[in-house]
Amino acid sequence: KNQVEQSPQSLIILEGKNCTLQCNYTVSPFSNLRWYKQDTGRGPVSLTIMTFSENTKSNGRYTATLDADTKQSSLHITASQLSDSASYICVVSGSNDYKLSFGAGTTVTVRA
Amino acid sequence: GAGVSQSPSNKVTEKGKDVELRCDPISGHTALYWYRQSLGQGLEFLIYFQGNSAPDKSGLPSDRFSAERTGGSVSTLTIQRTQQEDSAVYLCASSFDPRTGNEQFFGPGTRLTVL
């Protein structure tokens, strides 16, 4: 069973609107959680990283939250742009720092 | 180059043929990783290199898969006697010492199609 579950699997939003992606994980012990953005035909690129003690982290219009007690994270995209169309992947690092647990990703499509 | 590069970007092969996928990591990164990404699924870990040695090759799906790294830099993933289920995007990543929680930087991937 995958230790990182993401929802929704995909979503479509209109340009300028906001959206929130969810990530639930069971990885334990926990080291850090990253959100990656993967454009079509490209490799994933890190957007944010949060450790156990951090609740929120922003990167421009992207804001990630983390609740380490409930093992949940979210990624909020504000005022979406066409360039936000991509797959967003939640990645959790446990005690074994090189071996990451990947969610299946949420595909976001922003339409004009 | 500034980032991780992979070649070829696309590879179409016939079932039963061997293929070699290449990864050039970021200069100075001691750790290198190979992943497989299938449609609708999360990235699947294949193998991890620290320098030229592979402390963890537990993700290689069968003995048809092998990888090597030379000079602490370039790595090659070889798939022998390819099968249709090997069709996927193969991603390579590199980082500094992972024990310090360093970010993995990904290449653009090689899309492998086995006919």
Side-chain angles (χ1 to χ4, degrees):
Chain A
K1 177 175 165 56
N2 196 0
Q3 296 186 78
V4 181
E5 299 286 347
Q6 291 188 243
S7 63
Q9 185 175 21
S10 63
L11 66 93
I12 300 172
I13 56 173
L14 293 177
E15 188 177 13
K17 298 296 185 181
N18 306 334
C19 67
T20 301
L21 317 179
Q22 301 292 339
C23 173
N24 296 336
Y25 63 93
T26 58
V27 176
S28 182
F30 170 86
S31 176
N32 62 66
L33 183 148
R34 289 183 188 270
W35 283 93
Y36 277 83
K37 178 186 180 188
Q38 185 175 22
D39 293 311
T40 302
R42 308 290 294 273
V45 175
S46 180
L47 292 173
T48 63
I49 177 174
M50 286 180 293
T51 58
F52 185 89
S53 59
E54 295 176 296
N55 300 119
T56 186
K57 185 73 70 74
S58 291
N59 179 0
R61 294 178 297 99
Y62 300 103
T63 300
T65 66
L66 174 66
D67 185 333
D69 292 330
T70 61
K71 296 185 169 51
Q72 295 180 324
S73 177
S74 67
L75 180 69
H76 186 75
I77 305 175
T78 303
S80 61
Q81 300 178 358
L82 297 179
S83 59
D84 292 332
S85 295
S87 177
Y88 292 84
I89 304 171
C90 177
V91 183
V92 181
S93 175
S95 61
N96 192 334
D97 292 314
Y98 70 84
K99 207 159 189 180
L100 307 177
S101 296
F102 294 82
T106 293
T107 301
V108 174
T109 303
V110 181
R111 291 188 174 163
Chain B
V4 178
S5 60
Q6 293 185 244
S7 61
S9 55
N10 281 283
K11 177 70 176 179
V12 180
T13 190
E14 294 180 346
K15 178 181 172 180
K17 300 287 188 183
D18 297 352
V19 295
E20 282 190 355
L21 313 181
R22 177 188 167 104
C23 172
D24 281 272
I26 292 172
S27 177
H29 280 186
T30 57
L32 185 147
Y33 319 79
W34 282 99
Y35 296 93
R36 182 166 68 176
Q37 186 175 34
S38 301
L39 192 64
Q41 301 193 18
L43 272 71
E44 174 189 5
F45 169 83
L46 297 178
I47 187 169
Y48 155 63
F49 286 94
Q50 182 61 40
N52 289 338
S53 63
D56 188 347
K57 53 181 74 173
S58 62
L60 296 178
S62 75
D63 58 8
R64 297 186 295 104
F65 287 72
S66 63
E68 64 175 15
R69 189 180 185 195
T70 56
S73 181
V74 172
S75 176
T76 302
L77 176 68
T78 301
I79 309 174
Q80 296 178 310
R81 305 181 301 282
T82 53
Q83 304 294 312
Q84 289 183 332
E85 60 262 29
D86 298 336
S87 296
V89 176
Y90 290 82
L91 289 165
C92 173
S94 70
S95 75
F96 291 113
D97 188 344
R99 290 170 295 180
T100 57
N102 278 293
E103 176 182 351
Q104 293 186 21
F105 292 83
F106 287 83
T110 293
R111 180 174 297 279
L112 175 65
T113 304
V114 182
L115 303 176

